[in-house]
Structures are given as C-alpha cells and as structure tokens.
Amino acid sequence: MILHVSGLDKFIPPFIKLIRDEFNEEDHCFWLSGSLEAYPLECKSDVYVCGGGLVGKIKGYVKLVRQLHAARKVILHGLFNIKVVLLLALCPWLLSKCYWVIWGGDLYQYKSAKKSLLSWVKEGLRRFVISRIGHLITYIEGDIELARQWYGAKGTHHECLMYLSNVVDSSLIAEPLGRPKDDASLNILVGNSADPSNNHLEVLERLLPYKDENIKIYIPLSYGDQGHADKVIKLGKSWFGEKLVPVTDFMPYETYVEFLKSIDISVFNHRRQQAMGNTITLLGMGKTVFMRTDVSQWCFLRNLGLKVCNVEGFTTELLDRERAMKNSAITRSYFSKDTLLKQYSKIFEG
C-alpha cells in the first residue's frame, strides 16, 4: 500500500481522481485533513478525512500512525501540518520510506519563521524530519538545493511535475497569439492570489508609467489575505480607476483557463517559488511572463529554453510570434500529462 498524507487543497481532489483513473486504485489510500466543504471530492474506502473536534482528531492521528507503519511508501503532499511532522519525528524509522512532495510554501517556511520559542521548536522538528526523509519530489532543482542548504536534506531527488495544475492541456489552451488588435486593450495579469507574497503594490508602481495607455490590469484576489486584497483594490483604483479589475470570485478551472487566454502579459513578483501552474499555462499559450530572477523557477525555466522576462526591466513589449511559438512548444512537450504519469509510475514502482 502507498499512503498519501495531505491537507485538503485545490490540488488534491484532481490528484486523487488521477490516481483512481490511471493507477491501481487498490494500491493507494489517502489520509487527509481539512474541509470537504471547501474542497469536495468523492469519498470512497481509499480516502480517510481526519474528523473535527478533539476526539475526532485523536482518532484520526491514531489511525495515521497505524497507516504510516503499514504503508510500503508514504507520499507527504507538503509539510505544513506540524502534527504530522511531530509524529514523523517521534517515529524516525519511518522516514526512509517517505517521499516529500515539495510545494514551495512548506520549504520557504525557513525564511518566514518568526523569532519565537514556538517557531524555534517547530523549525527544529522540521529540520530533524526533513534531514532524514528518504526521498524528495519536485521538478525544480533549485528547491532541492534550498532544502539541502536550509534543512540538511539528504534524500534522493525524484523529478516530477507533481500535480495536474502543472500540466498543459493542449485541448484547452489557445494557440499562441501575436499582438492584440490596435483597438483592443493590453491585458495585464498581476499575481495569482491575495497573498501579500505577490507583492502587488510593487508591481502597480511599475505599471504607473503606463496608466494613460490602453491597458486593463487584472488582479486575482479570490483567495488569500482579504485585508491585503482590500488594500490592493483601494490603492489600485485610486491610481488606475476602472482600468484596474479585481478578480474576487473563484472560477472553475475551465473558466479560469478561458480568462487566461485573454491575458497578454503576466507579472509574478513573488520572492519564492509560487504560481507555477499559472506560469506554465501562460507560457503554453505563448504569453509574455515577467518574474523575479532570484527565485528558483527562473533558472529552471530558462534552462528548459523558455523565454521569461525580468520584472526589474518591465515593459509592455510582447514576445514576438516566433518566440511565443517556441515557448509554447517547449511547454507543451515537457509539462504534459504523459510526463507526469511516467514520473509517478517510476516513483510508485521503484
């Protein structure tokens, strides 16, 4: 049995469906924590959701300990749950069969940890566990280097796209386009959520020289820090008026892909690995993507032969059609469902 341990998140229901559809369902089971209301999925015998309340949680974590010991392999989808980290620290003999799927935010907790006793204890537990985990899963080599540098990780690296959000569905995305028509607005996407790590305000300042041009600025703010979202909307409206369009309603995947087709330029100003699903889809569409050069995905994308632009040198100049087509071809080739399935087959069977 392969045990998957995860918090419920938007990536998980599609991942469970992928496992059920493409692999032997009887070989996998899922221990989940979180809200099924927020992220509904079809619950079968292969899925256990840790209950609410003290008693439910105690039963859930007792079950997890049993499943951890019974499993042939343990796939840890992110290392955010400190209770799971604690259990693994108390059972270090389990760590050699654990595979950490590195999400990004779990890795970068190293930089965001507060200077407090509680934070020091949590980081100590994380270092103990991460340094002993047998296997590390990501497609970004830079994140492996950081895990080794920050936490002393020694596990074997398995290259894997991780989730369907990192797969380009050629049937859903448009062919790469050239410049918008003369009478059409230049549509600019800023960030991927209401999280302050998007550094929206810095981007809006960079866009100020273009405020009198025919532009539309779209900012996804449907999830994340709503206090920060309100601040972004207030300031953005004062600077750009109706040219700033906050996207505050959550869109189904297909609807969101259609929305991305209308974007000409995207600006991701994160200081860590983030928004990769958006980045990959936009590159597959031949869109112009700006990001910081000091994030791990910058070198990864450039090494694939993709043209991504430095946010420090932002302009409204779009990629030419030839370059856009090349970006699209590279993206569709590497970030494919076939690649994802082959990578997981190797991980599950190894």
Side-chain angles (χ1 to χ4, degrees):
M1 177 193 71
I2 297 174
L3 172 65
H4 299 262
V5 180
S6 179
L8 272 165
D9 192 275
K10 58 184 178 294
F11 305 121
I12 299 306
F15 178 78
I16 292 176
K17 186 176 186 305
L18 178 76
I19 296 298
R20 289 170 174 170
D21 290 346
E22 303 291 345
F23 298 93
N24 187 348
E25 189 174 334
E26 295 179 357
D27 291 343
H28 299 262
C29 63
F30 299 84
W31 186 96
L32 307 173
S33 60
S35 171
L36 280 171
E37 291 184 3
Y39 303 104
L41 59 89
E42 183 183 3
C43 286
K44 299 181 182 179
S45 58
D46 59 338
V47 171
Y48 176 83
V49 181
C50 185
L54 180 60
V55 174
K57 282 184 169 55
I58 290 173
K59 288 182 178 178
Y61 284 97
V62 168
K63 182 177 181 67
L64 175 58
V65 171
R66 291 172 179 164
Q67 289 184 309
L68 287 169
H69 282 83
R72 179 171 64 89
K73 294 185 178 185
V74 179
I75 313 294
L76 302 166
H77 295 266
L79 273 181
F80 297 97
N81 188 332
I82 195 61
K83 299 183 187 71
V84 172
V85 173
L86 176 59
L87 287 179
L88 291 171
L90 293 172
C91 305
W93 53 88
L94 298 173
L95 291 170
S96 62
K97 65 179 179 181
C98 287
Y99 292 67
W100 174 27
V101 183
I102 303 175
W103 283 29
D106 48 354
L107 173 63
Y108 283 79
Q109 284 186 21
Y110 175 87
K111 297 191 75 173
S112 62
K114 298 177 182 177
K115 294 182 179 179
S116 67
L117 178 60
L118 180 60
S119 183
W120 181 82
V121 171
K122 287 181 177 179
E123 279 300 290
L125 287 171
R126 282 165 49 80
R127 170 173 282 277
F128 180 88
V129 168
I130 291 172
S131 66
R132 290 166 175 79
I133 282 180
H135 306 269
L136 311 170
I137 296 177
T138 181
Y139 55 98
I140 300 178
E141 182 68 37
D143 282 354
I144 296 296
E145 293 172 3
L146 290 175
R148 300 197 193 288
Q149 176 186 336
W150 291 345
Y151 290 103
K154 303 177 185 67
T156 302
H157 174 210
H158 301 268
E159 183 179 3
C160 182
L161 297 178
M162 307 193 300
Y163 300 107
L164 285 169
S165 60
N166 295 325
V167 165
V168 172
D169 187 339
S170 297
S171 66
L172 290 179
I173 66 177
E175 288 299 316
L177 304 174
R179 298 192 65 85
K181 295 179 181 178
D182 291 340
D183 59 345
S185 63
L186 187 75
N187 295 335
I188 302 171
L189 179 73
V190 176
N192 71 317
S193 74
D195 194 294
S197 63
N198 287 266
N199 298 299
H200 299 98
L201 303 186
E202 286 183 11
V203 179
L204 292 179
E205 284 188 35
R206 291 189 184 279
L207 296 178
L208 272 174
Y210 307 97
K211 68 177 183 177
D212 295 325
E213 296 186 12
N214 187 15
I215 62 171
K216 287 278 188 183
I217 303 169
Y218 293 88
I219 309 183
L221 299 168
S222 60
Y223 69 95
D225 185 333
Q226 291 308 304
H228 177 71
D230 292 341
K231 181 180 178 180
V232 170
I233 294 171
K234 183 177 180 181
L235 184 63
K237 286 290 187 181
S238 70
W239 285 353
F240 298 95
E242 295 306 309
K243 292 182 179 180
L244 185 123
V245 184
V247 181
T248 55
D249 294 327
F250 181 80
M251 300 181 195
Y253 175 71
E254 290 78 7
T255 305
Y256 189 68
V257 170
E258 287 299 315
F259 162 68
L260 291 182
K261 289 179 184 179
S262 70
I263 297 300
D264 301 301
I265 295 174
S266 60
V267 188
F268 299 121
N269 195 34
H270 310 90
R271 287 183 169 84
R272 67 171 177 83
Q273 188 262 100
Q274 203 169 343
M276 282 301 292
N278 283 269
T279 300
I280 292 162
T281 300
L282 289 160
L283 289 170
M285 292 177 175
K287 308 297 186 180
T288 303
V289 176
F290 285 86
M291 64 175 60
R292 298 177 62 89
T293 61
D294 56 354
V295 289
S296 56
Q297 66 266 37
W298 171 268
C299 288
F300 165 72
L301 294 170
R302 301 276 287 201
N303 288 340
L304 283 179
L306 292 161
K307 172 68 175 179
V308 285
C309 304
N310 183 354
V311 71
E312 295 291 333
F314 178 83
T315 72
T316 55
E317 184 68 26
L318 302 182
L319 297 180
D320 61 59
R321 184 171 178 81
E322 182 179 354
R323 182 66 254 192
M325 291 290 287
K326 186 174 181 180
N327 270 6
S328 181
I330 293 171
T331 304
R332 293 179 193 220
S333 174
Y334 181 80
F335 297 98
S336 69
K337 186 176 179 180
D338 284 345
T339 299
L340 177 66
L341 293 176
K342 287 175 184 176
Q343 290 170 334
Y344 267 121
S345 292
K346 189 174 180 181
I347 290 168
F348 295 156
E349 294 168 6

